[in-house]
Amino acid sequence: MKRVVALSLAVALTGCSFIAVNGPDIAPGTMPMPGDDIDCSESRAAPIVDVVLGTLMVMGAISAFLDSRKPDGAPLSGEAALAIAAVAVVFGASAYFGFSRTSECRRVRGN
């Protein structure tokens, strides 16, 4: 039960960019009309946070995997490595989402 709660909490805390980044509110690949007010996120802070946390998760997954390979390693280290790696994938997807949305916003605004 503790593992389920911990995994649920970890997944709930992932993906800053999914929540904090808004893309431009026009069709992808198009340019706005002159004078249009474009509401979108230019800040790359959330995707950078996702990259940093994802990198830490990858390092944690590698550490847990290496611990599972030891004869006297902690029990369930292999399962922990897999769970941590899954969270790292979510952070990576969120970072990609955030960087692509902020790049599109900057392109549309001409910055």
Side-chain angles (χ1 to χ4, degrees):
M1 180 63 178
K2 288 181 183 180
R3 285 185 274 158
V4 172
V5 171
L7 182 60
S8 299
L9 182 61
V11 171
L13 295 175
T14 58
C16 295
S17 295
F18 287 134
I19 298 167
V21 174
N22 296 318
D25 51 357
I26 62 171
T30 62
M31 292 301 289
M33 298 300 289
D36 282 351
D37 184 32
I38 304 299
D39 183 30
C40 58
S41 304
E42 285 189 48
S43 173
R44 293 191 171 158
I48 290 171
V49 168
D50 287 335
V51 167
V52 169
L53 294 176
T55 302
L56 292 173
M57 289 292 154
V58 168
M59 291 171 28
I62 291 170
S63 175
F65 174 74
L66 293 176
D67 193 38
S68 73
R69 305 295 292 167
K70 295 179 185 175
D72 61 340
L76 303 176
S77 292
E79 290 85 353
L82 185 60
I84 294 169
V87 172
V89 168
V90 174
F91 273 118
S94 180
Y96 175 79
F97 174 83
F99 281 121
S100 64
R101 295 287 191 225
T102 56
S103 294
E104 182 69 11
C105 181
R106 289 174 181 210
R107 183 190 69 79
V108 168
R109 286 188 174 173
N111 294 339

